[in-house]
Amino acid sequence: MSLLADAVARAAPAQAAGAPVLRVEGLGVRIRTGRHALRALDDVGFSLRRAETLGLVGESGSGKTLTALALMRLVETSAIEIDRGQVALDGVDLLGLPERAMEDLRGRRISMIFQEPMTALNPVISIGRQIEEPLRRHLGTGRRAARDAAVALLDQVGIRDAARIARCHPHELSGGMRQRVTIAIAIACRPDVLVADEPTTALDVTVQAQILGLLRDLQAEMGMAMLLITHDLGVVAETAHRVAVMYAGRVVETAPVGALFRRPRHPYTRGLLRSIPRIARERPAALAEIPGTVPGLLALPEGCAFAARCELATAHCVAERPALERIGPEQAVACWRHQHV
Amino acid sequence: MTATVAVNFGAGRRLARRFAGHRLALFGAVVVVLLCAAALFAPLIAPHDPVELDTSLRFMAPFQSATHPLGTDEIGRDTLSRLLYGGRVSLTVGLVAMLTTVLTGASIGVLAGYLGGWVDALLMRFVDTMLCFPQVFLLLVIAAFIPPTLLSMSLIIGLTSWMEVSRIVRSEVLHLREQDFILAARALGASSGRIMFRELLPNAAAPILVAATLKVASAVLMESYISYLGYGVQPPLASWGNMLTNAQGYFDTVPWLAVLPGVLITLTVMGFNFLGDGLRDALDPRLTLNR
C-alpha cells in the first residue's frame, strides 16, 4: 500500500464521524475434530465506533476470545476455519485480505492485548526492543528514533524511570508493569482498534483499577475504538460504553451499558446481573445463580441454547432459535420472550 | 546464528558475572581459550617445523631436551610442534563442523516445529532416514569419494550430525509456539519468518548452545577418528587423529606418542562440554544465581 493511499484511507473515515470503524457481521467459526465439525461461533455481529468501548461479556467458553482472535485472523489452522461473515475495518473486509496484507494491519491499525501479562512478552528480548519492534516493522522508524519512542511510550503508560525499564527483561517486572508494557506495545503505532482480551483478569484488584484507568485515558487521548473482553460485569460498568453479551458462540444481547444494567432484555443477561454479589445494609437472600451449565458445542440444541436454563422458556424456544432482533436504536436481543423479561 | 543470538542478550556484564561463578565452566573456558590460542599462534610457539625430520633423534622421550620439549616421534619429528599444528586441524574442523551442524539443524528444526503439517512430516522423516545410517559409515563412504581437505571434512562431519540438533530445536519450538508471546507477536504483524528466527530461536538458544559445544567436542572426536582410519587429514600433515595412528605401532615401547594426542583430545572435549554447561546456566534469564 502506498503511503499516500494509506493516508487517504486513514483520513476519509475520520470525516464521517460516528460511522463504525469496525463492523463484524454474521461471523462464523467452525472447528473440525475428528468426525465432527463444531460450530464454535455462529452469526456473531457488533460494531465499534471511534473512541468507543464495547464490552464483550460472557461465561468461559462462550466464544469471546475466539471472536477476538477470529477478527484478528489469528485462529485459522487446519482444524479451525472462519467460514462465514464479514469483519470490516473502515469498510475493508479483513476476511478477504491475503495474509501479507493482514500482517501489515496487525499491530498498526488493529492491536491486541492479552489476559496473561506474565507470558505475553518474549522472555529473552528486552522490554525496549519489544516496544521498538512494531514501530520499526510498520512505520519504518529508525533504530535511534524507535528507542526514544519506546521510552516515551513507557512513560505514557505510566512507568516511572522508563529509560531504565526499557533495558530490563520481562522477568524483572511485576505483573501490573508487564501489562503496562504490553499496552505500550499495542498502542505504539496508534491503532484504530484495540482488542483487550481480559486485560485485568490476571491482576490484583488495585492494579486492575489502574490498568482500566490507563486504558480509558489512552482511549480519550488517541480516540481509538476498544473491544474489551471480560467476564467481569464490574469492569464493563466502569469502562464500556456499550455491551454485547455472548452465550454459546452467539451474541444474545447488545445494549448501551446504562440500559443493560437498568433493564436487561435477555434472561441470560438478567441472570448474570443477579449473580453479582452486592454489599447491602440488610443481609440479602442467598446469591442468585443461573441453574445448569453452558451446553457443550457438540450438543448444541436445535432451538435457543439458553432454553434449558431459562425460567421463561416455552416450547417455541426449544424448537426454534431466535435471531438477534433490533428492539431500540442501540439495542438488540435474541429472545422470543424478551417482552417478558 | 548462535553467535548473534548470544550477543543479542545484551547485559554482558551480568552474563559474565554469572558465568564466572561457575567454576567448571571457567575451567572449560580457560582450557578452550588456551587450546585455541595455541592453535592460532602455532607458527610462533612451535620450536620446529612439524614435518621436519631428524632421523638421528628418533623416539626421544619428553622432558629430556630443550630443543624437543615433548620428545620426537618414530622418524624424529618434534612432537610439540606436531601437536600444535594438529590442534589447528582439530579445532578448525570442530568449529566449522559445529557451525554447519547448528545452522542446518536449527533451521530444519524451527521450520519443522513451527510450520508443522506436511513440512514437519517430511523433514522429520528425512531426519529419521539420516539417523538410520551410522555416522561413521556415512563419513567413510563420503570421504572415499571426496578428497579430504579441511573444509570438505568439516562439512561432511557437520552435514552428517545435525539431526540431533534439529530434533532438540523442533521439540523446543513445539513447546514455545503455543506460548502467548508468539500469539502476541503475530497480533503485532510479525511474519512467520520473523517469528521463527527472531522470536522462537533466541528462546531456544540455551539448548542450541549446549548442543553446539557438545558438537564441537564430537566433531573433534570424529575428525580424529577418520584421520586415525586414514581417510581424513593425510600425512605428513599432522592431526591428533593420525598421530594416534602412527603411535599405535609403538604403544608398548613409547606410550607417550599416543598419550599426548589422546590427552589433548580429551582436554578439548572436556573443555567444550564444561563451557557448554556454564553458558547454559549463564544464558537462562530466568535463573538468578547469586554465587
Side-chain angles (χ1 to χ4, degrees), chain B residues 19-282:
Chain B
F19 189 78
H22 201 300
R23 292 230 178 91
L24 280 179
L26 210 55
F27 169 73
V30 168
V31 167
V32 166
V33 167
L34 283 178
L35 285 167
C36 288
L40 196 64
F41 299 114
L44 301 177
I45 312 169
H48 297 273
D49 188 312
V51 293
E52 168 198 307
L53 33 125
D54 181 353
T55 40
S56 63
L57 285 171
R58 299 167 60 215
F59 298 125
M60 188 187 255
F63 314 121
Q64 300 288 310
S65 105
T67 49
H68 297 288
L70 293 179
T72 58
D73 67 3
E74 74 279 5
I75 47 175
R77 292 176 296 197
D78 181 56
T79 306
L80 176 60
S81 306
R82 288 185 71 71
L83 285 173
L84 286 168
Y85 278 90
R88 287 192 135 183
V89 170
S90 295
L91 289 174
T92 310
V93 172
L95 291 172
V96 176
M98 176 273 279
L99 283 178
T100 315
T101 299
V102 166
L103 285 177
T104 317
S107 308
I108 290 186
V110 78
L111 282 169
Y114 185 68
L115 298 179
W118 65 267
V119 179
D120 184 31
L122 202 72
L123 289 174
M124 284 303 113
R125 293 304 77 74
F126 180 49
V127 167
D128 292 341
T129 314
M130 290 288 290
L131 284 170
C132 284
F133 305 104
Q135 191 187 359
V136 179
F137 288 151
L138 266 181
L139 283 175
L140 292 181
V141 168
I142 301 172
F145 290 103
I146 296 173
T149 65
L150 278 191
L151 185 67
S152 73
M153 276 176 52
S154 310
L155 290 181
I156 293 171
I157 294 175
L159 291 176
T160 51
S161 62
W162 53 267
M163 294 79 78
E164 209 180 310
V165 175
S166 74
R167 282 191 162 175
I168 292 171
V169 171
R170 175 178 174 268
S171 73
E172 201 68 19
V173 166
L174 282 181
H175 153 75
L176 287 167
R177 58 179 269 192
E178 302 303 328
Q179 304 270 310
D180 279 356
F181 68 85
I182 295 303
L183 188 62
R186 290 178 62 208
L188 286 171
S191 62
S192 296
R194 187 174 177 92
I195 286 176
M196 285 190 280
F197 292 98
R198 300 292 295 276
E199 302 272 345
L200 286 169
L201 269 188
N203 276 284
I208 293 177
L209 264 173
V210 175
T213 45
L214 286 170
K215 283 296 166 194
V216 176
S218 76
V220 167
L221 275 178
M222 272 298 151
E223 182 276 324
S224 308
Y225 199 55
I226 50 180
S227 294
Y228 173 77
L229 291 176
Y231 288 91
V233 174
Q234 299 298 314
L237 196 61
S239 108
W240 294 340
N242 68 23
M243 288 174 78
L244 277 175
T245 321
N246 295 341
Q248 71 178 346
Y250 316 102
F251 191 68
D252 46 350
T253 50
V254 278
W256 64 83
L257 280 182
V259 169
L260 288 171
V263 164
L264 282 180
I265 293 173
T266 312
L267 261 183
T268 311
V269 172
M270 237 169 58
F272 275 102
N273 285 351
F274 289 157
L275 183 67
D277 278 355
L279 280 176
R280 179 181 49 197
D281 293 350

Side-chain angles (χ1 to χ4, degrees), chain A residues 59-120:
Chain A
E59 284 168 87
S60 310
S62 58
K64 306 180 300 260
T65 298
L66 191 61
T67 303
L69 293 177
L71 68 87
M72 300 278 296
R73 290 259 312 270
L74 288 172
V75 287
E76 289 146 300
T77 64
S78 54
I80 306 178
E81 174 196 18
I82 303 173
D83 63 342
R84 46 180 92 144
Q86 214 186 15
V87 176
L89 182 66
D90 276 341
V92 178
D93 186 12
L94 301 186
L95 300 186
L97 286 182
E99 178 60 21
R100 276 313 300 254
M102 199 59 219
E103 278 170 12
D104 288 340
L105 288 182
R106 287 189 204 119
R108 185 167 64 101
R109 302 212 40 207
I110 178 163
S111 270
M112 185 161 179
I113 55 180
F114 295 87
Q115 173 169 357
E116 192 46 82
M118 306 311 260
T119 56

